[in-house]
Amino acid sequence: MRYHSPLTFEAASRVAAGASGVTRFLAGGTDVLVQLRAGSVTPDDLIDLKRIPGVGSITREGDGGWTIGAAVSGAALGATPGLVSDWPGVVEGMGLVGSTQVQGRATLAGNLCNGSPAADGVPGLVAAGATATVVGPEGRRRMAIADIPAGPGRTALQPGEVIAAIHLPARGAQGGDAYERFIPRTEMDIAVVGCAVNLRLDGDTIVEARVALGAVAPTVLLVEACAQAIVGTRLDEAALDALAAAARAAAKPISDKRGTAEFRTHVAGVLARRVAVTAYNRAKGNRAKGAAQ
Amino acid sequence: MPKDEIRSTFKYIGTRPNRPDGLDKVTGRARYGADYAASNMLHAAVVRSPHAHARIVKIDASKALALKGVKAVVTRADFPEGLTGETWNLQENTIAGERALYDGHAVAAVAATSALLAQDAAKLVEVTYEVLPHVTDVDAAMAEGRR
Amino acid sequence: MSKIHVTTTVNGDAVDFLADPRETLLDCLRDHLGLTGSKEGCGTGDCGACSVRLDGVLVSSCLVLGVEAEGRSIETIEGMASPDGTLHPLQRKFIEHAALQCGFCTPGILVAAKALLEENPDPSESEIRYWLAGNLCRCTGYDKIIRAVQDAAAELRGAA
């Protein structure tokens, strides 16, 4: 295994594009090193991104959006109060990945590129409408996070392409997001079902919504029918019922050791309700805070 | 005699003594098996069956042995023959004989001058298997004609 | 396989070693630097026995490559007591509360608990349990560990 530590993403991409064997990019390493250890993936070329300037930075942009470098750890996200205030759902999703020790290293970009359908960091990004800067042999491009997962362990990134940063849009007024997952224990487990909701209010009425489900299909799902079920409502009981039904209808899970398809389908509805209420309350809280300022 | 009087007559019972191994264990000084290193120490890696049940047709360790620093490759052929009863059971569990009996059953082991070299060499041990049907429950294992 | 020369700081001391790029920081600490206090329980980031601080951040050293340590600063269990041998309050409380049995998980738990108390001097029981959820102990049942951390936290607050 050859170890590379390039100083730009373009150089990192060139190494990957020019390699003939197995390549891996190294950000937090909490998946790559486990695979290395298990012998399941021994890269011929390992490309460490952490020497690239800015790769560990969290930046608030002029428009109020956020840029999160590819090597920013979960712990660093949680230690950024402005980001936690704007996008609590994104931060709490990533915060559920692994232990405190894993949080010290694990990254959103890595969670995304590992390609697990159950990745806790991803539904929040999809619900937020986040994008990624992708650097490849053909130059730089922006991709919607929702377009990147392609199946278990697979992404839509082309050979030689690497994620340089993840971008969250400006939170704006009267918005809120949330993420929850179901696991059979309290910590250190992989989602049986995950759900993220991001919404915006006008007064008490939901005017925009994005609902993402994890671990109920080969990739994270952005469920338009769930959004339609709650847009135009004040998240009353009928809207919550419609939301749950839409989530269950969209869920296409497998049965495995973590849960049966029937159970996962049921839980998708339970979580969608619960998470929507949290996001709604956060949106109202944001409005109250805005009014006070 | 009342309980508190009994306690006062004992040297340790009823007290909170510090454990004698506590200091070494909270400072990282306590030594466990894997913490020992010796000069000229060799490191081992085990070649394991990827099949739940398979006949071992051939083990070719020549490529592994050709690596500089690889000192030995052992297989069942290096173990005693003719064991019976519990000792045979122990040996059969330690390393596969004619057949690998489960996914992960040790088939060969490599000794080399470093752990990584031993792991690299283990990947070069070529084992030819004839995959056999396997069973996954006790009833099937006890069925007529199984062995 | 060519090795890479790594220069780094461990417990305040400048050190260097030659690492195969596949070797983890844990391998390098134990095999190249003789610091065997950090343990390998699982090698896959589940058990926390290899916990160290990397530039102050709590990490599993089995999930860090040795070559990534270049120019960084690492703290291990060996650096927890004062150079004169005076134990850190956490170490003392772990002995007093018998918060260890076989002791294999103990270095990792102490390193993790120290990181917690530096970030949060007055953690609740839940906060301690969540923080240490990535440190597995098969002997104690955790209760004595939690009590020892609470007691050490109280002492550290009182001393501050």
Side-chain angles (χ1 to χ4, degrees):
Chain A
M1 186 179 85
R2 288 172 294 271
Y3 172 79
H4 309 267
S5 49
L7 297 176
T8 66
F9 282 104
E10 283 72 15
S13 170
R14 275 197 299 278
V15 173
S20 53
V22 177
T23 60
R24 283 289 184 278
F25 292 106
L26 177 64
T30 53
D31 289 309
V32 170
L33 265 72
V34 173
Q35 292 162 3
L36 183 63
R37 157 81 187 198
S40 59
V41 180
T42 305
D44 298 295
D45 291 282
L46 184 70
I47 306 159
D48 189 351
L49 304 174
K50 290 189 293 296
R51 301 281 167 189
I52 300 174
V55 74
S57 303
I58 302 173
T59 312
R60 182 164 215 165
E61 302 296 346
D63 69 351
W66 292 86
T67 293
I68 299 164
V72 170
S73 69
L77 294 179
T80 308
L83 181 64
V84 174
S85 169
D86 278 5
W87 293 104
V90 171
V91 176
E92 71 195 353
M94 189 61 208
L96 289 170
V97 175
S99 60
T100 316
Q101 287 85 343
V102 168
Q103 283 291 309
R105 295 265 294 168
T107 67
L108 274 172
N111 198 229
L112 176 64
C113 292
N114 187 50
S116 167
D120 287 310
V122 177
L125 291 175
V126 169
T131 59
T133 295
V134 176
V135 179
E138 311 295 320
R140 290 189 170 228
R141 63 172 174 147
R142 276 282 186 115
M143 284 179 82
I145 299 296
D147 294 337
I148 292 177
R154 292 189 296 116
T155 69
L157 297 177
Q158 299 301 306
E161 284 193 323
V162 55
I163 291 180
I166 286 172
H167 309 277
L168 286 162
R171 172 66 281 180
Q174 299 186 44
D177 77 328
Y179 175 80
E180 276 192 59
R181 66 176 179 183
F182 176 83
I183 55 172
R185 47 208 302 252
T186 53
E187 251 290 57
M188 295 282 285
D189 207 344
I190 291 170
V192 177
V193 180
C195 178
V197 174
N198 171 34
L199 48 76
R200 184 181 310 287
L201 307 181
D202 181 0
D204 289 338
T205 303
I206 299 170
V207 291
E208 288 171 34
R210 287 168 68 90
V211 178
L213 291 173
V216 293
T219 63
V220 59
L221 299 177
L222 178 64
V223 186
E224 178 58 31
C226 284
Q228 285 170 5
I230 56 174
V231 168
T233 76
R234 298 180 173 201
L235 209 61
D236 52 25
E237 201 54 34
L240 286 170
D241 285 345
L243 170 65
R248 287 180 182 130
K252 298 283 179 284
I254 55 168
S255 291
D256 68 7
K257 62 184 175 183
R258 295 185 214 290
T260 62
E262 186 186 14
F263 177 74
R264 284 187 150 116
T265 303
H266 177 74
V267 171
V270 174
L271 278 184
R273 289 179 70 105
R274 207 177 278 174
V275 177
V277 169
T278 304
Y280 186 84
N281 289 335
R282 283 176 177 166
K284 293 193 80 165
N286 282 351
R287 185 181 51 165
K289 195 174 65 182
Q293 280 167 353
Chain B
M1 198 185 291
K3 274 184 179 170
D4 51 351
E5 287 178 38
I6 293 172
R7 189 184 298 169
S8 69
T9 66
F10 289 115
K11 197 169 167 187
Y12 292 114
I13 292 173
T15 68
R16 296 175 61 89
N18 288 343
R19 36 188 316 143
D21 54 350
L23 181 61
D24 282 347
K25 287 177 174 175
V26 300
T27 51
R29 286 203 298 260
R31 302 255 264 164
Y32 298 76
D35 299 336
Y36 285 88
S39 59
N40 276 327
M41 187 166 85
L42 297 180
H43 299 258
V46 177
V47 182
R48 296 184 180 278
S49 167
H51 306 294
H53 189 196
R55 195 170 72 82
I56 297 168
V57 179
K58 187 180 168 206
I59 300 175
D60 181 354
S62 54
K63 285 181 186 161
L65 285 164
L67 287 185
K68 282 178 187 167
V70 173
K71 301 297 182 184
V73 176
V74 297
T75 67
R76 182 64 170 263
D78 299 290
F79 284 68
E81 285 178 21
L83 299 184
T84 56
E86 183 59 18
T87 45
W88 179 86
N89 265 330
L90 275 173
Q91 177 173 276
E92 191 70 13
N93 247 328
T94 305
I95 192 158
E98 287 175 21
R99 293 176 299 145
L101 299 177
Y102 55 90
D103 181 341
H105 201 169
V107 169
V110 181
T113 50
S114 81
L116 283 173
L117 182 59
Q119 287 160 23
D120 288 343
K123 287 178 197 155
L124 295 177
V125 175
E126 292 170 354
V127 185
T128 310
Y129 296 97
E130 177 192 338
V131 178
L132 300 171
H134 62 270
V135 294
T136 54
D137 66 71
V138 173
D139 290 336
M142 293 193 305
E144 204 68 36
R146 293 281 182 195
R147 55 162 290 219
Chain C
M1 192 72 61
S2 62
K3 297 197 172 183
I4 295 174
H5 182 220
V6 178
T7 304
T8 186
T9 302
V10 179
N11 300 323
D13 296 331
V15 298
D16 65 335
F17 52 85
L18 287 175
D20 181 298
R22 293 174 295 171
E23 286 178 307
T24 65
L25 175 59
L26 176 63
D27 295 332
C28 294
L29 289 170
R30 291 175 53 84
D31 300 341
H32 300 322
L33 300 175
L35 297 171
T36 56
S38 306
K39 305 300 182 191
E40 178 166 313
C42 66
T44 51
D46 294 298
C47 80
C50 66
S51 297
V52 303
R53 309 274 289 276
L54 183 64
D55 286 345
V57 178
L58 182 68
V59 300
S60 295
S61 60
C62 76
L63 294 185
V64 179
L65 291 176
V67 292
E68 292 182 72
E70 174 68 36
R72 313 285 287 273
S73 178
I74 298 152
E75 292 164 62
T76 73
I77 184 65
E78 285 89 350
M80 196 158 169
S82 300
D84 68 1
T86 306
L87 296 182
H88 185 279
L90 275 163
Q91 292 174 304
R92 195 155 30 74
K93 292 300 180 187
F94 266 58
I95 297 176
E96 287 175 16
H97 287 265
L100 57 95
Q101 286 176 38
C102 89
F104 196 81
C105 69
T106 307
I109 292 183
L110 286 167
V111 170
K114 181 166 178 271
L116 168 64
L117 297 187
E118 285 172 17
E119 186 165 303
N120 179 359
D122 191 10
S124 67
E125 176 171 341
S126 285
E127 286 169 333
I128 298 171
R129 286 185 182 273
Y130 273 100
W131 183 275
L132 295 177
N135 290 88
L136 304 185
C137 172
R138 301 293 81 170
C139 300
T140 62
Y142 301 105
D143 197 66
K144 292 181 176 192
I145 293 172
I146 306 302
R147 305 293 153 235
V149 174
Q150 287 174 319
D151 199 6
E155 182 182 307
L156 283 163
R157 286 197 305 277

